[in-house]
Amino acid sequence: MDFKMEAAKAIAAAANMNIDEIIDIIEVPADTKMGDLAFPCFKLAKTLRKAPPMIAKEIGEKIEKSNMFEKIEVVNAYVNFYVDKLKFVSGVIGEVLVKGEKYGESNVGEGKNIVIDYSSPNIAKPFHVGHLRSTVIGNALYNIYNKIGYHSISVNHLGDWGTQFGKMIVAYKLWGDKEAVERDDVKELSRIYVKYHEEAEKKPEMDDEARSWLVKMQNGDEEAISLWKWFCEISMKEFNRIYDRLGIKFDSYAGESFYNDKMDAVVEEIREKNLLKESEGAQIVDLEEYNMPPCLILRSDGGTLYPTRDISAAIYRKKEYDFAKCLYVTALDQNLHFAQWFKVVELMGYDWASDLVHIPFGLVSLQDSKLSTRKGHVVLMEDILNSAVERALNVIEEKNPDLPDKEKIAEKVGIGAVIFNDLYNSRIKNVVFDLERMINFIGETGPYVQYTYARCCSILRKTGKEKISEEIDYKIITDENSMQVCRTIGQFEQKLIDAANKNEPYIVSRYLVDLCQEFSGFYDNNRIVGSDEDTMNARAAVVYAVKTVIKSGMSILGIDCPEQM
Ligand code: ARG
């Protein structure tokens, strides 16, 4: 039942306009006293050459009554619509009951592919908090796009090629200890990598040796390649441990090395298109005209670079996936890199260059003194996850010591808290990692939303209404609290579309907190357990709908909700 469409039709008829011109202008008033839907007349003032309040008044006089609205009222420049409560709640709740976890899906992106490049840590280097942000944001976008009908493709563009490997090989040959690497994996690799940088400052000839190992790698030298492969395996083991805990998988793990045999042709193409210029022995694309430093394509020794691989990857992805958009989720400090090579793709004549989108995000700062001092400057991802889980377990021990499966639940709550905290603000804002605030069952946190979910489950268990009977007396849930919960539930689909349009998962996380807060108002004022059968059934249906939307919203964010906590 589409109230917005009905309102648009009524306005279109009264104003003698097209529905399409109207529908996008209709909004949901912040204050429900102003109705459930409102049509502001400001945008029509120009075409109709009349003052907005005048337009509103005329529409109000001509508009036909509809049985979907209880009242249509003109206030200043607005035409306000008050939905018929019974029709509204039965429409919303009925739809959730029928669709279950599919509720909120739409077909906005039907038939379109969207490639999302995220996480993309670097082999032999630590998986740091920036990679965590990329992983969590990318995964949420992946799910959001899927839910609105796109086919999302996740790509982990692993940093598995480049100058650092020459250095790693030199470092390993000098100080490496196979057993230590196997035991401590990336920790040990990054230890010797840091040492390399300290030593190479004093002995620049080490860099020559590193370069020669890189050349060997490029030429397929057996020893060089087998060491490189081993570094990759060691790193992937660690990365996979983190992905497993976050419940994340990728559709493609084609990293930078995947483009080794594809770059020659791309460089050739750039050259043929007369974009390549020599500068200090290197090959560049001059971007002065666009107020950017040149984009480096080939080093003076012929080696390829990060932008070369990105350009090749984009061309490959366009062929392979025919994407409607290709998103790159990385920290803000890579802005220039993306702006430069997007420009090169555009200059190469590809009109789809405008479908490449950088999705930047802000930094993470650690409030928790234990974490920031524990290991010097490198904060290990697993330490972060472990300390979140540890804290969650403490809170559970305190609040609900008899809970079965405490460890498992603490894992979900701790990890959920980290993810939710990361997704609660506009991406570009810096994230503060403050365990005490994040892992709180009240406040705007992941555990609060999970807790509300667990409460819904418990209510349904107590009423024995885990299956809601189809016969619902909807009149019972037309009170203001129930209406407010239903209004919010009814916005789920649109919120997901908004989140995709802005590439902002916080639209979903904030929505879920709103829903939980409204649920709380509903629950405080509406007795469920111990009411008469019809009342219990109707209110349980609201609880069921809230539970369903929380579950699917949280799983879109990449967070699991335990049934009890
Ligand atoms: N490996 C890079 C880093 O750790 C991120 C790669 C992002 N993706 C891309 N296609 N450039 O900073």
Side-chain angles (χ1 to χ4, degrees):
M1 210 174 298
D2 197 338
F3 291 89
K4 194 172 174 185
M5 186 46 103
E6 183 75 7
K9 270 189 205 153
I11 297 164
N16 208 2
M17 291 177 73
N18 274 329
I19 294 178
D20 298 345
E21 293 171 87
I22 306 285
I23 191 129
D24 290 332
I25 307 177
I26 297 180
E27 52 186 41
V28 177
D31 181 357
T32 50
K33 287 198 193 72
M34 307 307 290
D36 298 290
L37 293 168
F39 182 72
C41 297
F42 305 101
K43 285 200 181 142
L44 303 189
K46 230 177 164 181
T47 27
L48 300 179
R49 293 161 181 269
K50 273 182 207 158
M54 190 66 192
I55 301 172
K57 190 167 164 265
E58 286 178 13
I59 292 178
E61 278 160 9
K62 281 195 209 143
I63 205 158
E64 297 227 4
K65 276 213 177 110
S66 150
N67 65 3
M68 278 169 76
F69 298 107
E70 145 177 304
K71 185 164 81 171
I72 302 172
E73 210 174 58
V74 174
V75 180
N76 298 322
Y78 290 86
V79 185
N80 297 334
F81 295 80
Y82 298 78
V83 296
D84 179 276
K85 294 195 179 80
L86 194 58
K87 286 208 171 65
F88 183 72
V89 296
S90 61
V92 171
I93 301 293
E95 193 181 336
V96 182
L97 290 176
V98 171
K99 292 189 176 165
E101 61 188 35
K102 288 189 177 310
Y103 182 77
E105 284 180 6
S106 59
N107 54 10
V108 176
E110 206 168 77
K112 288 188 212 146
N113 291 343
I114 189 143
V115 173
I116 313 181
D117 173 322
Y118 61 95
S119 195
S120 311
N122 302 315
I123 299 295
K125 290 192 187 168
F127 189 108
H128 56 67
V129 277
H131 294 126
L132 178 72
R133 285 215 75 187
S134 172
T135 308
V136 162
I137 295 169
N139 183 56
L141 293 176
Y142 178 87
N143 294 329
I144 290 169
Y145 277 101
N146 271 343
K147 189 91 177 169
I148 68 166
Y150 284 88
H151 173 227
S152 317
I153 297 132
S154 54
V155 182
N156 194 338
H157 189 75
L158 294 161
D160 60 0
W161 202 259
T163 40
Q164 77 263 33
F165 289 96
K167 296 176 184 170
M168 266 318 300
I169 294 177
V170 173
Y172 181 71
K173 290 196 138 280
L174 283 172
W175 316 292
D177 167 355
K178 191 158 195 265
E179 268 166 37
V181 175
E182 258 150 20
R183 188 181 57 237
D184 288 338
D185 50 53
V186 179
K187 257 184 245 169
E188 174 64 8
L189 291 180
S190 49
R191 187 188 69 81
I192 59 174
Y193 190 66
V194 169
K195 185 159 174 181
Y196 175 96
H197 282 276
E198 286 161 7
E199 299 282 315
E201 277 199 5
K202 290 172 257 160
K203 290 188 227 147
E205 62 275 15
M206 279 170 65
D207 283 338
D208 294 330
E209 206 187 328
R211 256 189 295 277
S212 79
W213 273 107
L214 186 67
V215 174
K216 280 192 198 167
M217 262 172 67
Q218 277 160 357
N219 295 337
D221 173 86
E222 209 175 297
E223 185 184 8
I225 292 293
S226 80
L227 278 170
W228 167 74
K229 276 201 180 133
W230 184 57
F231 296 151
C232 292
E233 271 165 34
I234 296 283
S235 294
M236 279 319 294
K237 255 206 318 220
E238 171 180 321
F239 300 161
N240 284 331
R241 273 203 310 272
I242 296 171
Y243 294 141
D244 280 351
R245 286 181 85 175
L246 298 173
I248 288 177
K249 281 200 182 71
F250 292 87
D251 298 316
S252 159
Y253 291 83
E256 298 192 34
S257 71
F258 179 78
Y259 302 98
N260 280 345
D261 62 355
K262 299 174 180 60
M263 278 184 289
D264 282 352
V266 173
V267 173
E268 222 19 70
E269 186 184 334
I270 303 177
R271 197 191 308 276
E272 268 166 26
K273 291 180 171 161
N274 275 326
L275 297 167
L276 222 49
K277 237 169 97 172
E278 193 176 313
S279 166
E280 294 164 32
Q283 299 291 321
I284 61 154
V285 176
D286 189 2
L287 298 174
E288 206 183 325
E289 212 182 301
Y290 310 98
N291 292 319
M292 286 187 276
C295 184
L296 301 175
I297 303 294
L298 288 180
R299 278 202 317 260
S300 51
D301 63 9
T304 56
L305 293 123
Y306 186 41
T308 331
R309 290 190 274 278
D310 260 331
I311 296 168
S312 308
I315 293 173
Y316 171 83
R317 289 173 191 172
K318 184 66 194 177
K319 277 200 199 110
E320 183 75 12
Y321 305 114
D322 191 25
F323 55 73
K325 276 198 189 320
C326 181
L327 314 183
Y328 297 84
V329 187
T330 80
L332 182 63
D333 59 6
Q334 296 198 29
N335 253 0
L336 180 61
H337 163 72
F338 286 102
Q340 286 174 303
W341 76 258
F342 287 179
K343 195 67 185 178
V344 173
V345 174
E346 183 192 320
L347 294 173
M348 288 172 83
Y350 291 116
D351 56 359
W352 48 264
S354 57
D355 301 326
L356 304 170
V357 192
H358 182 213
I359 311 288
F361 55 78
L363 305 170
V364 183
S365 60
L366 297 162
Q367 264 305 321
D368 197 76
S369 54
K370 217 165 85 195
L371 274 176
S372 32
T373 52
R374 197 183 287 169
K375 296 260 157 33
H377 51 280
V378 185
V379 181
L380 294 174
M381 209 48 255
E382 288 183 301
D383 288 345
I384 290 193
L385 299 182
N386 288 340
S387 53
V389 171
E390 195 181 295
R391 173 149 189 106
L393 189 60
N394 289 342
V395 177
I396 292 171
E397 291 286 5
E398 203 181 284
K399 291 200 165 240
N400 194 357
D402 301 327
L403 187 70
D405 272 339
K406 271 185 281 205
E407 270 82 21
K408 261 201 200 140
I409 293 171
E411 172 84 10
K412 290 184 183 176
V413 174
I415 305 259
V418 173
I419 299 177
F420 200 86
N421 180 60
D422 206 309
L423 298 177
Y424 199 62
N425 287 302
S426 160
R427 291 178 334 251
I428 215 70
K429 284 210 180 145
N430 295 345
V431 168
V432 180
F433 192 90
D434 176 355
L435 278 183
E436 203 170 317
R437 200 189 46 73
M438 284 156 55
I439 305 185
N440 198 327
F441 288 17
I442 37 183
E444 297 164 25
T445 66
Y448 168 63
V449 180
Q450 286 172 321
Y451 187 65
T452 308
Y453 176 81
R455 255 172 100 191
C456 291
C457 293
S458 135
I459 296 165
L460 294 177
R461 272 195 305 272
K462 281 194 200 132
T463 53
K465 295 278 176 206
E466 279 139 304
K467 274 240 161 355
I468 306 291
S469 118
E470 308 267 304
E471 301 287 303
I472 296 168
D473 183 355
Y474 284 110
K475 266 197 317 300
I476 298 168
I477 48 172
T478 51
D479 62 286
E480 191 44 34
N481 283 122
S482 310
M483 270 297 286
Q484 198 45 37
V485 171
C486 291
R487 281 190 192 102
T488 305
I489 290 175
Q491 287 167 14
F492 188 40
E493 178 180 320
Q494 189 58 44
K495 291 285 176 181
L496 295 168
I497 296 169
D498 294 349
N501 284 341
K502 296 191 173 146
N503 292 306
E504 284 284 15
Y506 83 82
I507 293 176
V508 180
S509 51
R510 297 208 165 221
Y511 165 81
L512 290 172
V513 166
D514 284 347
L515 179 61
C516 292
Q517 286 168 347
E518 269 141 20
F519 174 76
S520 182
F522 160 83
Y523 187 63
D524 289 345
N525 293 304
N526 289 285
R527 187 180 159 139
I528 304 174
V529 183
S531 318
D532 64 84
E533 184 60 27
D534 282 351
T535 306
M536 195 155 81
N537 195 47
R539 291 179 179 161
V542 176
V543 178
Y544 171 85
V546 170
K547 173 190 139 171
T548 305
V549 172
I550 292 181
K551 173 109 178 167
S552 92
M554 288 292 262
S555 92
I556 285 171
L557 298 179
I559 303 172
D560 233 345
C561 287
E563 308 254 308
Q564 270 181 295
M565 67 186 260

